[in-house]
Amino acid sequence: MTSRAIVVDRPGTHRLVTGERPEPRPGEVLVEVAAAGICMSDREVYDGHRDAAFVRYPVTPGHEWSGTVVAVGSGADPALVGRRTVAEGFRACGVCERCRCGETSLCTGGYAETGFTEPGAFADHLTVPVRLLHLLADDADLRAAALLEPAAVIAAAVRAARPRPGERVAVVGAGTLGQLAVQWLAACGPAELAVIDPREARGEQAREFGATRALSPAEAESTYGTFDLVMETAGAPTTAASSCLLARRGGRVVLTGMFTAGAVGIDPVHLSLSQLEVRSVFGAPSSAWSDAVRAFGLGLLDPAPLITHEFPLERYGDAVALVGSGDPGAGKVLLLP
């Protein structure tokens, strides 16, 4: 049997290849991809803007995905065939100190991740180790489930944030991560849940998900120093610094956006005088994946409304061009092999 895959040979160059269907090795499963999301990290891979330590060309991208197990390698349970699933992206070693402490996203055994250094899901099929699977219900919406990777990042952020009922909470950024954060934090019973984003339509969508008000960055300046918890999701040049200004003295700030060189630094004087607790999140450990899959199964997270565009594998070029284009109508973009 054959299988197709997108291969990015080097920045700016890709091709659709057809070859033999991959075979799962011992301890692996073969997954037929149902849907794969494209995020800014995938755009960075295509443009050549991702740190060289975190990508290996040529590569088949695709780290946000869902699918169905269609074959198993030796040592894997044959009962997995036919199960709907997602899987962790980090190929953590499982034996280093950080892994043994449950911090698999901080594995010191060497960086390896599906879609960046290992073949990803912009393909008909991919192979993944059984130990990384998170099984879904038999009737799970696989289109929506493709967004469980960013949902797991938010789950990790929520674990770090420790939200409590009755708190004043702000979410900075109303992209995919921000909208998922609003859904999750709304379920925690905040007294106020503000979303801050320059795009009015994104703010209105956040209100539908449970935000109590939507503010532009300029409007948010009048609320500086008032929030118990601030969750930053935008990764824009100024949002780490402004998120700290939004927090009350003694408040908590969690940074989940992927910042690039040149971002404005956090004022250390403000940080120390305000006694802020600042945490950052990179990816998601296994525990956060479990939280996200559980919340999805319970209906606490509904990623489906975030999907705005779907493309076949043959139109990968059009799809990746749309991501990060600034098109106000573009939300989550999916590839459907």
Side-chain angles (χ1 to χ4, degrees), residues 229-267:
L229 169 62
V230 181
M231 189 172 292
E232 189 284 330
T233 68
T238 62
T239 49
S242 63
S243 294
C244 290
L245 296 176
L246 286 163
R248 66 163 173 82
R249 298 188 71 188
R252 308 185 306 285
V253 178
V254 180
L255 307 176
T256 69
M258 292 298 292
F259 298 97
T260 57
V264 177
I266 298 170
D267 180 0

Side-chain angles (χ1 to χ4, degrees), residues 62-254:
H63 62 287
E64 303 178 3
W65 60 270
S66 63
T68 303
V69 177
V70 292
V72 300
S74 63
D77 186 354
L80 289 171
V81 174
R83 292 299 307 271
R84 300 185 179 198
T85 193
V86 292
E88 298 171 36
F90 286 118
R91 306 292 182 96
C93 72
V95 297
C96 71
E97 182 179 7
R98 296 274 59 82
C99 283
R100 289 183 176 274
C101 289
E103 298 172 336
T104 51
S105 57
L106 298 177
C107 174
T108 59
Y111 173 72
E113 186 175 3
T114 300
F116 297 105
T117 66
E118 311 299 321
F122 293 170
D124 290 324
H125 302 86
L126 81 160
T127 58
V128 290
V130 172
R131 60 188 173 83
L132 300 181
L133 295 182
H134 289 267
L135 300 178
L136 305 174
D138 291 339
D139 61 351
D141 178 356
L142 289 178
R143 287 175 62 258
L147 276 67
L148 281 174
E149 191 276 341
V153 174
I154 291 302
V158 170
R159 279 180 166 247
R162 309 183 312 281
R164 295 185 288 270
E167 289 191 314
R168 298 188 68 188
V169 180
V171 174
V172 178
T176 299
L177 287 176
Q179 301 288 3
L180 292 170
V182 167
Q183 290 187 29
W184 202 303
L185 293 167
C188 298
E192 177 183 358
L193 179 52
V195 66
I196 299 164
D197 195 285
R199 299 162 293 186
E200 185 176 346
R202 294 292 180 91
E204 287 305 310
Q205 185 177 40
R207 290 174 67 92
E208 295 173 4
F209 289 145
T212 57
R213 60 172 170 161
L215 304 170
S216 69
E219 292 170 334
E221 291 181 8
S222 65
T223 67
Y224 281 177
T226 64
F227 292 100
D228 301 292
L229 169 62
V230 181
M231 189 172 292
E232 189 284 330
T233 68
T238 62
T239 49
S242 63
S243 294
C244 290
L245 296 176
L246 286 163
R248 66 163 173 82
R249 298 188 71 188
R252 308 185 306 285
V253 178
V254 180

Side-chain angles (χ1 to χ4, degrees), residues 17-85:
V17 302
T18 300
E20 291 188 7
R21 194 179 80 168
E23 292 294 329
R25 294 173 294 188
E28 291 185 339
V29 299
L30 177 70
V31 175
E32 183 177 83
V33 178
I38 304 178
C39 82
M40 279 303 297
S41 294
D42 299 305
R43 178 68 187 261
E44 290 172 359
V45 168
Y46 187 74
D47 290 341
H49 296 158
R50 188 169 175 87
D51 188 315
F54 295 97
V55 64
R56 186 179 303 138
Y57 298 101
V59 64
T60 294
H63 62 287
E64 303 178 3
W65 60 270
S66 63
T68 303
V69 177
V70 292
V72 300
S74 63
D77 186 354
L80 289 171
V81 174
R83 292 299 307 271
R84 300 185 179 198
T85 193

